[in-house]
């Protein structure tokens, strides 16, 4: 399976943020960026392991990062 980038939002409890980061990493999530002020982690992991972190206590949501491609105004893009 291939690795994908995901955004994880922690529940609104800054007291558990550090321990949640450790538990998520223990499940194979490679943290690239943390934004503790909003309880957000950005990182990657194998697609098949995502459900393991979705159900961890303290995880509010797990979303796959999306990329948008916007064509130049003078292009013959799909819009």
């Amino acid at each position: 399976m291939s690795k994908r980038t995901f955004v994880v939002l922690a529940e609104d409890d800054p007291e558990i943020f550090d321990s949640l980061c450790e538990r998520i990493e223990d499940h194979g999530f490679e943290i690239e960026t943390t934004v503790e002020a909003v309880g957000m982690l950005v990182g990657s992991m194998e697609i098949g392991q995502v459900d393991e972190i979705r159900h961890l206590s303290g995880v509010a949501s797990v979303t796959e990062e999306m990329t948008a491609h916007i064509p130049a105004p003078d292009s013959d893009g799909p819009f």
Side-chain angles (χ1 to χ4, degrees), residues 8-52:
V8 177
L9 294 179
E11 291 179 4
D12 193 16
D13 186 355
E15 296 290 319
I16 66 163
F17 190 78
D18 290 336
S19 66
L20 180 61
C21 289
E22 290 176 17
R23 287 186 290 141
I24 287 175
E25 286 179 314
D26 289 344
H27 283 84
F29 189 80
E30 295 175 18
I31 296 173
E32 297 164 14
T33 305
T34 61
V35 185
E36 189 171 355
V38 294
M40 183 173 69
L41 306 167
V42 178
S44 60
M45 73 182 313
E46 297 289 335
I47 295 271
Q49 296 175 311
V50 173
D51 283 338
E52 294 178 29

